[in-house]
Amino acid sequence: MIDFSQSLTSVDGMNAEQSEPGATADPPQHPARNPDDPTARVAHAIERRDATDAEAKALASSVRIRILRLCLDEELSNREIAAALDLNPATALHHVRMLVDTGFLEAQEPRRGRRGAREIPYRATGRSWFIDAGDITDPMIEAFAAEFSAAPYPERSMSRMAAMLTPAEVVEFQQRLEDLLEDFRSRRSQDGARQWALFVAMHPSAGTDEGAS
């Protein structure tokens, strides 16, 4: 599966998440496109590094993937995260700490919560968008299914298709998708904007003959 949503995480989201707050590194610079290249009009792939063992483990959980999505555009406390995902607060805190330790969540300034109690809100850093976490197919699909099912039916949209593509067209299709996703991923904090989730997967269709005409 090739996932472009991580944003979230190789893909979250990822998800598509925002750029890391406070990051000092310049964004990746892509080489100039060759106008003679048939795929010159499409995007260059986002440069992602391999995840460390700890990062890959942190992203290998549908619960933690959902936490990153929840905290993408809103600062949430452990109590709020637990309530949103119907988790025991202690269980939620275990997941939150793992995401903080690996840099996927960042603690914000403490605030006064319910009944004046001091609480720490968390915000997703967007780091997962720039990491290849390997095969985390199952937790990503589980996270998608849970979030999709929870959304109001009239506002859901789903499409499924099959296309006959040459190897070069597969690369072009993937790059054009990633270009589109990166374009819209970077549009955050706009007036009147509402967060919409997207999950994209691509794979060879079983039962078809390779090289069939």
Side-chain angles (χ1 to χ4, degrees):
M1 181 184 75
I2 298 173
D3 172 62
F4 301 91
S5 72
Q6 298 273 47
S7 161
L8 201 73
T9 37
S10 83
V11 29
D12 260 109
M14 140 182 134
N15 247 233
E17 277 119 13
Q18 64 209 42
S19 298
E20 298 180 48
T24 57
D26 293 330
Q29 298 297 313
H30 300 301
R33 301 182 188 184
N34 179 358
D36 297 325
D37 185 339
T39 62
R41 68 183 182 277
V42 305
H44 291 274
I46 300 300
E47 294 181 10
R48 294 187 172 92
R49 65 170 175 82
D50 291 340
T52 65
D53 290 344
E55 289 170 338
K57 183 177 180 180
L59 296 176
S61 161
S62 62
V63 172
R64 291 191 285 275
I65 289 173
R66 294 184 68 192
I67 290 174
L68 291 180
R69 176 61 54 80
L70 286 172
C71 297
L72 177 56
D73 293 301
E74 185 178 7
E75 297 176 1
L76 297 176
S77 67
N78 183 73
R79 173 183 58 81
E80 292 169 326
I81 292 170
L85 297 181
D86 194 24
L87 296 174
N88 180 288
T91 300
L93 186 59
H94 164 75
H95 292 295
V96 166
R97 284 176 173 169
M98 183 175 290
L99 291 169
V100 170
D101 289 344
T102 48
F104 295 120
L105 277 185
E106 186 173 64
Q108 307 298 302
E109 289 296 322
R111 67 189 183 192
R112 293 296 174 184
R114 187 172 56 186
R115 299 178 181 175
R118 180 180 181 275
E119 62 182 21
I120 299 175
Y122 299 90
R123 187 76 177 263
T125 64
R127 179 175 302 215
S128 59
W129 181 252
F130 301 98
I131 288 176
D132 181 356
D135 187 359
I136 55 171
T137 303
D138 289 345
M140 288 193 65
I141 291 177
E142 290 168 7
F144 161 74
E147 293 172 348
F148 189 79
S149 298
Y153 177 74
E155 295 185 300
R156 302 180 200 169
S157 175
M158 177 179 285
S159 299
R160 188 167 181 264
M161 63 166 284
M164 296 295 291
L165 303 172
T166 66
E169 288 172 333
V170 170
V171 173
E172 177 183 0
F173 192 86
Q174 292 170 350
Q175 290 180 333
R176 291 174 67 178
L177 275 176
E178 189 152 1
D179 190 33
L180 181 65
L181 293 174
E182 174 61 19
D183 178 15
F184 281 89
R185 180 199 68 84
S186 61
R187 304 182 190 186
R188 315 208 74 84
S189 302
Q190 303 179 90
D191 290 340
R194 175 188 180 192
Q195 187 185 94
W196 287 79
L198 178 68
F199 182 90
V200 179
M202 187 174 180
H203 60 88
S205 184
T208 59
D209 294 330
E210 185 176 352
S213 58

